[in-house]
Amino acid sequence: MTDVTPALQLVDVSKSFGSVIALRNVSMHVDNGSVTCVLGDNGAGKSTLIKILSGVHEPSEGQLLVNGAPKRFTSPRDALEDGIATVFQDLATVPLMSVWRNFFLGNEPTEWPWPFRRLNAKKAKSICKAELLDMGIDIRDPEQPVGTLSGGERQAVAIARAVHFGANVLILDEPTSALGVKQSGVVLKYILQAKERGVAVVFITHNPHHAYLVGDRFYLLNRGQMMAEYTRSEVSRDELVKAMAGGAELEALAHELENL
Amino acid sequence: MSTVTAPADERVAKTSVITRLMRRPEIGALMGLIVVYIFFSVVDQTGTFSGLTGAARWTDVAATTGIVVVAVSLLMIGGEFDLSAGVMIGTAGLFAGLLITEYQMGVWLAIFLTFIFAAGIGFINGWLVMTTGLPSFIVTLAMFFSLRGINLGVTKAITDTVRVAGVDEGAGFDSARVVFASEIIPPYNFKIAVVWWFVLVAIATWVLTRTKFGNWIFAVGGDKNAARNTGVPVRRTKITLFMLTSMSAALVGIISLLRLRSMQAGQGVGEEFVFIIAAVVGGCLLTGGYGSAIGGAIGSAIIGMAFIGIAYARWNTDWSWLFLGLILFAAVLVNTLISRRFQGVRR
């Protein structure tokens, strides 16, 4: 698969904030129709990496390539225009607004000529309902405020929205970290559904169990550097968990806990 | 209800008509309106409050307040305040008045330039709020005091008095008066301002609930970062709202200039809080992201009834301020209880 141009690629990217080096010489690539997991503990540089991918920060050094072409993003809007959508941890939904209004926020469908141009609410509601149903979530009423949805449902709305508006690359920032076991399972299912539609998914997490369930390729980030890269066939779940926790450290911890 | 609906979802408790009604932002205000109307009809000493004669009076107060409240409501839904909206009435009236009396400008041209000028003031408010990141409360408070000073200073420097008079000698005064300051439906003599008010409320309601811009207003007030991340032009939306607020105040300034044929330099000062009270009574959240234009209109109607009702009850009108204070507190309390009970929003 090396002859396929990656949907998104980083080449030797570094990012520093003043004297703090957040990322150093990070390279990675993300293919269409696959799930790429970025694993890292707190402070590993995951947030900085996401912000570079989604256009919030510009890299200090190195290149960002979209479908093989070098790009410079100065805002999330630039990234969106190139089909890179990010579902941030805060989900970018407005709690007091209804589900369908949130779904179409910033991309509202309209009808009638100016000055009577208005929202095509009927169309918006039915699309919203259908898209969410496609994700396997049966929304009760598109008029209900997003604030009344559960965390998993809100995540689904955010993911469905990104996919609907033509995201070619979908970046998910810790989508399962705040969820219960069952809800996490549901979100992982959405990730696979997006992948099946040919979307390149970047799944950022500190949970190797979740990553292993859906990932095709795994990057391990630690202290601002890419420590390892695995494909699914190369690695078992236990190895991934160990690598993530720093192997020896985990064994020491297990030993310590057993002696309590 | 269609006969081929999907099987009801067991996760949804049935939303009764009452619950759905109670979810509207303006429901608390509507109940308040009925209570206030009955109260002042009962204590009325003139026997005219509850009829059309009384209505012509209180709708006048409601309209001249409500025209600005419409814009202030949208601004508050968008998450910002404008404390300069009251003094802007005076500024706009003086600006138009000076153009007509000192520069011999036609009344219509002066009105047109006044709206442009007001849009400029609103733009400065919005631009400063968005650029400095300071709370709009502070920025517009500064604008309030600046305009207050300018109103007095400029008027005194040019006219040697604290008022601008003699507007009725300007060309086009009579036709402008028909549009902005005439009376309709004799013998009750409703003011034409009431028509302006109704039309603006209708347009604002349509914009808010049916257009893209309305969606953006709710979004920038509800969660500015979420709005920005989904591609809503936050800056443009908020600056537009500030401009609309100043222009609505200018409309009231022009209405009162044409009615009174003169303008006092202190006109409008103190009104800014009345506008905010009306919007809040009408169900607009102080924190933004929630409310309606109709709610603001109902809030204005309550204020109109209170001012006229107290006079008609032959009480000292000084008491109206106490009444406003009480109604503000009661309305916010009721709105909060209602939204907690029926909204069910997890925040």
Side-chain angles (χ1 to χ4, degrees):
Chain A
M1 296 257 289
T2 44
D3 53 333
V4 179
T5 317
L8 187 63
Q9 196 174 3
L10 293 182
V11 182
D12 287 332
V13 164
S14 301
K15 177 75 190 172
S16 48
F17 300 97
S19 62
V20 180
I21 300 167
L23 285 180
R24 183 178 298 172
N25 294 334
V26 169
S27 296
M28 65 179 288
H29 62 99
V30 180
D31 296 320
N32 283 315
S34 77
V35 178
T36 305
C37 299
V38 178
L39 289 149
D41 218 331
N42 297 335
K46 289 184 310 235
S47 315
T48 311
L49 185 67
I50 295 163
K51 284 178 179 160
I52 286 175
L53 293 176
S54 61
V56 177
H57 290 326
E58 275 189 79
S60 312
E61 277 170 54
Q63 267 192 316
L64 188 148
L65 293 93
V66 179
N67 294 322
K71 292 272 176 182
R72 285 171 63 92
F73 296 147
T74 52
S75 77
R77 233 196 147 114
D78 290 349
L80 272 172
E81 271 164 27
D82 272 312
I84 300 168
T86 307
V87 177
F88 289 99
Q89 255 175 316
D90 64 9
L91 301 177
T93 53
V94 183
L96 284 169
M97 288 175 78
S98 67
V99 174
W100 72 269
R101 280 177 186 271
N102 263 292
F103 193 93
F104 284 96
L105 193 55
N107 290 293
E108 296 86 353
T110 50
E111 59 183 353
W112 301 359
W114 196 89
F116 302 107
R117 191 169 300 148
R118 59 169 205 168
L119 291 181
N120 192 339
K122 214 171 174 182
K123 183 174 155 199
K125 280 182 217 171
S126 70
I127 291 177
C128 169
K129 210 174 154 110
E131 283 289 326
L132 287 173
L133 209 57
D134 243 29
M135 283 257 152
I137 146 164
D138 185 6
I139 193 81
R140 293 148 242 188
D141 172 11
E143 283 287 1
Q144 73 184 115
V146 157
T148 61
L149 299 179
S150 70
E153 288 171 323
R154 264 191 254 188
Q155 194 85 48
V157 171
I159 295 174
R161 175 170 67 184
V163 173
H164 176 75
F165 289 106
N168 189 24
V169 178
L170 180 62
I171 302 167
L172 301 169
D173 182 9
E174 301 262 6
T176 57
S177 63
L179 301 180
V181 176
K182 209 171 163 186
Q183 286 188 336
S184 297
V186 174
V187 168
L188 295 176
K189 209 173 76 194
Y190 301 149
I191 291 176
L192 288 179
Q193 267 156 359
K195 167 189 162 179
E196 266 154 36
R197 290 178 174 205
V199 175
V201 183
V202 182
F203 176 22
I204 289 144
T205 180
H206 60 238
N207 188 326
H209 302 282
H210 287 165
Y212 196 77
L213 285 171
V214 294
D216 296 305
R217 182 185 300 278
F218 306 93
Y219 286 99
L220 212 63
L221 199 61
N222 198 11
R223 302 175 74 85
Q225 288 181 314
M226 230 25 133
M227 302 304 286
E229 175 187 349
Y230 308 102
T231 56
R232 193 181 177 81
S233 53
E234 290 169 359
V235 69
S236 72
R237 189 170 72 175
D238 288 346
E239 281 170 320
L240 199 63
V241 174
K242 257 191 191 157
M244 160 87 193
E249 280 172 47
L250 188 71
E251 269 165 32
L253 180 68
H255 194 68
E256 220 173 282
L257 289 173
E258 271 166 28
N259 290 341
L260 279 177
Chain B
M1 266 291 181
S2 144
T3 47
V4 285
T5 45
D9 196 316
E10 80 285 356
R11 296 167 301 182
V12 200
K14 260 208 188 121
T15 42
S16 68
V17 179
I18 292 178
T19 306
R20 251 181 289 159
L21 200 67
M22 295 300 258
R23 274 188 189 159
R24 305 280 322 151
E26 58 273 351
I27 189 69
L30 192 62
M31 295 191 296
L33 183 77
I34 295 167
V35 171
V36 170
Y37 179 77
I38 293 173
F39 175 74
F40 283 112
S41 297
V42 170
V43 298
D44 181 23
Q45 299 285 312
T46 62
T48 53
F49 180 84
S50 55
L52 285 172
T53 316
R57 290 289 312 282
W58 65 256
T59 51
D60 176 31
V61 179
T64 46
T65 309
I67 287 170
V68 190
V69 172
V70 174
V72 167
S73 299
L74 298 200
L75 183 68
M76 278 180 68
I77 296 170
E80 304 291 343
F81 290 102
D82 187 356
L83 294 181
S84 69
V87 74
M88 191 61 215
I89 294 175
T91 307
L94 294 168
F95 184 82
L98 288 174
L99 287 182
I100 295 166
T101 57
E102 297 292 323
Y103 300 94
Q104 282 74 45
M105 202 176 270
V107 173
W108 284 103
L109 181 60
I111 288 172
F112 177 73
L113 291 180
T114 303
F115 278 118
I116 306 264
F117 169 73
I121 299 284
F123 180 85
I124 294 172
N125 275 336
W127 187 83
L128 283 175
V129 168
M130 296 313 292
T131 308
T132 60
L134 293 173
S136 53
F137 198 87
I138 296 300
V139 172
T140 59
L141 188 65
M143 180 61 86
F144 169 28
F145 277 87
S146 308
L147 288 179
R148 195 177 177 177
I150 290 170
N151 285 1
L152 273 169
V154 171
T155 311
K156 270 190 182 164
I158 295 181
T159 69
D160 280 331
T161 62
V162 288
R163 62 196 283 261
V164 174
V167 186
D168 41 0
E169 278 151 36
F173 177 80
D174 293 322
S175 58
R177 211 173 135 86
V178 170
V179 175
F180 292 105
S182 56
E183 289 174 344
I184 50 170
I185 321 180
Y188 306 111
N189 294 334
F190 281 85
K191 303 278 193 209
I192 194 91
V194 178
V195 176
W196 280 95
W197 178 41
F198 279 5
V199 169
L200 288 177
V201 171
I203 293 174
T205 301
W206 185 76
V207 166
L208 206 50
T209 57
R210 279 263 156 265
T211 70
K212 204 183 241 201
F213 185 66
N215 221 28
W216 294 351
I217 296 175
F218 280 111
V220 297
D223 189 333
K224 200 168 69 179
N225 288 328
R228 186 169 284 136
N229 284 339
T230 50
V232 173
V234 175
R235 195 183 164 85
R236 178 152 54 102
T237 305
K238 291 205 178 196
I239 290 178
T240 307
L241 289 172
F242 276 107
M243 291 169 72
L244 291 175
T245 307
S246 290
M247 289 170 79
S248 71
L251 175 58
V252 174
I254 285 162
I255 288 174
S256 51
L257 176 75
L258 294 172
R259 268 192 201 169
L260 306 170
R261 297 158 199 265
S262 68
M263 200 72 181
Q264 300 286 340
Q267 185 96 20
V269 172
E271 293 280 301
E272 55 284 334
F273 283 111
V274 177
F275 303 145
I276 292 174
I277 289 174
V280 170
V281 166
C284 293
L285 277 186
L286 282 166
T287 45
Y290 190 73
S292 75
I294 293 181
I298 297 174
S300 312
I302 290 180
I303 285 168
M305 282 185 185
F307 273 102
I308 299 302
I310 285 172
Y312 276 26
R314 305 241 162 88
W315 296 336
N316 189 326
T317 45
D318 298 342
W319 293 102
S320 6
W321 301 108
L322 171 69
F323 187 83
L324 280 193
L326 294 178
I327 200 113
L328 172 68
F329 184 76
V332 174
L333 195 66
V334 170
N335 282 342
T336 311
L337 291 179
I338 287 180
S339 61
R340 249 188 238 153
R341 173 114 165 66
F342 291 96
Q343 209 63 29
V345 174
R346 300 170 203 165
R347 291 194 235 178

